[in-house]
């Protein structure tokens, strides 16, 4: 089943994001290689593709996991969690309808 993982950043998270980004992307790449990643990306803090020093307000990941517990465990082990990038993370089942 698919799960939506939504991380909400702490204030001024940009430097923490930068430090943890390589490890974070490595885990996402592993999901992609396994054919389980639907989409992933950050939410700019301002209305711009490149928010510059404004940084990001959070992230969205949609991926396939065996069950909610597996999705939650994966989210809990994210390098952004360990680095203190996220103030909170939610994991919810997701049903893709379109496209």
């Amino acid at each position: 089943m698919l799960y939506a993982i939504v991380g909400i950043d702490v204030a001024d998270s940009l430097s923490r994001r930068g430090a943890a980004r390589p490890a974070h992307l490595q885990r996402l790449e592993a999901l992609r290689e396994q054919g389980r990643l639907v989409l992933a990306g950050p939410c700019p803090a301002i209305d711009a593709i490149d928010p510059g020093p404004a940084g990001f307000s959070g992230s969205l990941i949609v991926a396939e996991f065996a069950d909610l517990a597996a999705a939650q465990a994966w989210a809990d082990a994210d390098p952004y969690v360990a680095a203190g990038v996220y103030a909170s993370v939610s994991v919810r089942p997701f049903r893709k309808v379109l496209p």
Side-chain angles (χ1 to χ4, degrees):
M1 177 159 191
L2 295 177
Y3 294 87
I5 301 169
V6 178
I8 304 299
D9 283 25
V10 299
D12 300 316
S13 64
L14 196 55
S15 63
R16 292 178 189 189
R17 271 182 171 270
R21 189 170 189 263
H24 173 76
L25 292 178
Q26 183 177 13
R27 293 179 81 236
L28 291 170
E29 183 61 29
L31 284 179
R32 189 190 67 77
E33 289 172 357
Q34 295 164 11
R36 296 170 46 205
L37 184 64
V38 174
L39 65 89
C43 301
I46 60 173
D47 190 12
I49 291 173
D50 180 358
F56 300 92
S57 62
S59 301
L60 169 64
I61 299 164
V62 177
E64 182 180 348
F65 293 92
D67 54 33
L68 181 58
Q72 185 68 59
W74 189 91
D76 290 344
D78 193 290
Y80 280 0
V81 171
V85 171
Y86 296 143
S88 66
V89 177
S90 67
V91 180
R92 299 186 320 199
F94 179 81
R95 191 177 119 202
K96 183 179 175 184
V97 174
L98 294 171

